[in-house]
Amino acid sequence: MNKSKKLFKSKELGIFLVLVVMFLIFSILSPQFLKTNNLFNIAKQIATLGICSVGFTFVLITGGIDLSVGYQISLVGIICSYLMTKTDVNWVFAVLISLLIGTVIGVINGLIITKTGVAPLIVTLSMMTILNGISYLISGGLPMFGFPRSFSFLGQGNILGIPISLLFLIVIVLIGAFILNKTYYGRYFYAIGSNEEAAKLSGVNTGRIRIIVYSMCGFFTAIGAILQLSRLNSGQSATGAGFEFNTLTACVLGGVSSSGGKGTILGAFIGVLIVGVLDNGLLLLNVSEYVQLVIKGCILLIAVIYDTMSRANSERVKRIKAINADNN
C-alpha cells in the first residue's frame, strides 16, 4: 500500500511539474497570461470542467466511461433555461429540477449498464445521441436568454474578489477527495476497477455501486452545467458538444487510468488545470482552433498510451514477483 501511495505522489508531482513548465512557457510567450484578470478567467473557464471531472474520475476508476457528459451539460442547461424563461419558474427551483434531471440521467446510465451488461462505451454513446436530440427538440436550435441577475451571479460574480465558480470548484473537489479517500464507497470504486470479480466475492454489490457512481457523475455534471449556463448567460444546445473529450483528456492526463482501478482527485484536478491553461495560452497566442484540437488529441493519445504501457509493466512485475515467490 505504501508503494502505491508513493507511486501516486510521484505521478502527481510529475504532472504538476508539467503544469509549472506550461505556466512558464505561456508567461514568456504572452505578457497577458499572468495578469490577474486572465488568471481569474481561467478559473471561471475550468470550473465546469473541474466539477464534471470529479464525477468522471469516479466512473473511470470503476472501469467505466461516460461519453454522454457533454450533452448532459447541453440538456440540463436547456431545461434550466426553458424553466426560467418560458415557464417563469423561480430560478432556485429551476436549478433544483435541473440537478434532479442530471442525476436521473446518471441513474439511467448506471441501470442500463448494470442490468443489461452492455459496455459503458456503447450505452453512454447512445445516451449522448438521445440527449442531443432531446435538447434540440426543446430549444428548436435557438439560444435561450434573459435570466435573472441573481442567477447570473453564480457564474459571473465574485466574493471578496474570488470568483464564485472557483469556490464551487474547490468545494466539489474537496468533497470528491473525501468520498474517494475517506469513505468505504471510495474503496469499493477502486476494488471494482481493479478486479470486479474479486470485489463481488468480497461481498461488494458491484451493480449498486456502479449505479451510484453514474448517478454521482450525472449530479456533478449538472452542477457544472448550471455554472456554465450562468457564466455564458445563454442556453444553447451546442454548448456541451465535445465536452466529454476535454473531461476524458483532463482525467487521463491527471493519472486516472482509463482501464480502471487507479487515479486520484488531486491528479484529475491538476489535469484540469493543464487543459485550462493550455486552452487559454493557445488562445492568447492566436493558435487556430483546429490546431488546438490536434494538440489536445495528441496529448490524450500520449496519455492513454503511457497509462496502458505503465499498467502492462506493472502487471508484468507482479507476475515476476509471484513466480519468484513460488520458486522460493
Side-chain angles (χ1 to χ4, degrees):
M1 184 63 71
N2 289 333
K3 288 183 179 179
S4 65
K5 284 184 178 179
K6 288 181 180 178
L7 178 62
F8 286 134
K9 288 181 180 179
S10 63
K11 280 187 175 181
E12 289 162 4
L13 177 60
I15 300 165
F16 181 73
L17 290 176
V18 170
L19 177 62
V20 171
V21 170
M22 287 179 59
F23 253 90
L24 292 174
I25 291 174
F26 285 129
S27 62
I28 293 171
L29 296 178
S30 174
Q32 303 294 322
F33 181 75
L34 285 180
K35 289 189 175 181
T36 304
N37 286 341
N38 186 59
L39 294 178
F40 277 154
N41 282 335
I42 294 175
K44 292 177 180 179
Q45 289 164 3
I46 67 169
T48 296
L49 177 61
I51 292 171
C52 292
S53 294
V54 172
F56 206 91
T57 296
F58 292 162
V59 171
L60 286 178
I61 287 175
T62 58
I65 194 169
D66 190 350
L67 294 180
S68 67
V69 293
Y71 286 110
Q72 284 183 41
I73 290 175
S74 294
L75 181 59
V76 169
I78 286 297
I79 289 174
C80 192
S81 301
Y82 185 88
L83 290 172
M84 287 189 292
T85 60
K86 305 296 184 181
T87 64
D88 294 326
V89 171
N90 182 277
W91 72 265
V92 175
F93 289 108
V95 167
L96 292 175
I97 293 170
S98 301
L99 290 176
L100 178 60
I101 289 173
T103 306
V104 169
I105 292 171
V107 171
I108 292 172
N109 278 336
L111 281 171
I112 295 174
I113 291 167
T114 302
K115 301 302 181 182
T116 66
V118 177
L121 177 71
I122 303 301
V123 172
T124 57
L125 184 62
S126 302
M127 183 60 73
M128 176 180 75
T129 306
I130 293 169
L131 298 180
N132 186 27
I134 295 174
S135 173
Y136 275 100
L137 283 173
I138 295 173
S139 70
L142 300 174
M144 297 183 185
F145 47 86
F147 309 141
R149 287 188 178 181
S150 50
F151 172 75
S152 300
F153 185 72
L154 289 176
Q156 301 175 18
N158 301 306
I159 294 179
L160 300 178
I162 302 174
I164 294 177
S165 53
L166 177 60
L167 296 177
F168 269 103
L169 172 59
I170 293 171
V171 170
I172 296 298
V173 167
L174 291 176
I175 291 173
F178 177 80
I179 293 172
L180 207 54
N181 299 319
K182 301 297 182 180
T183 69
Y184 64 87
Y185 282 111
R187 293 193 291 273
Y188 289 167
F189 297 168
Y190 285 113
I192 293 172
S194 298
N195 191 326
E196 185 169 356
E197 288 303 316
K200 286 181 180 178
L201 294 173
S202 300
V204 178
N205 188 334
T206 57
R208 177 170 167 269
I209 296 299
R210 282 194 184 280
I211 293 171
I212 290 173
V213 164
Y214 279 94
S215 63
M216 292 173 70
C217 184
F219 176 71
F220 287 133
T221 300
I223 294 175
I226 289 166
L227 281 178
Q228 179 158 299
L229 176 66
S230 175
R231 180 174 66 86
L232 298 177
N233 217 27
S234 173
Q236 301 182 45
S237 293
T239 298
F243 198 86
E244 65 284 344
F245 171 75
N246 283 341
T247 310
L248 178 61
T249 301
C251 290
V252 175
L253 192 60
V256 183
S257 176
S258 57
S259 303
K262 291 183 179 180
T264 64
I265 294 296
L266 175 59
F269 179 65
I270 298 174
V272 167
L273 291 175
I274 290 176
V275 171
V277 168
L278 181 65
D279 283 343
N280 182 266
L282 293 177
L283 189 64
L284 289 177
L285 295 176
N286 293 319
V287 175
S288 165
E289 180 182 352
Y290 307 118
V291 175
Q292 292 182 40
L293 288 174
V294 172
I295 293 173
K296 286 195 284 188
C298 290
I299 289 173
L300 177 59
L301 181 61
I302 293 170
V304 171
I305 291 173
Y306 174 77
D307 171 55
T308 304
M309 293 178 67
S310 298
R311 195 177 185 89
N313 185 59
S314 177
E315 293 296 328
R316 184 175 63 84
V317 171
K318 287 180 181 178
R319 287 196 297 269
I320 292 174
K321 286 183 178 179
I323 293 171
N324 291 336
D326 290 338
N327 292 335
N328 292 334

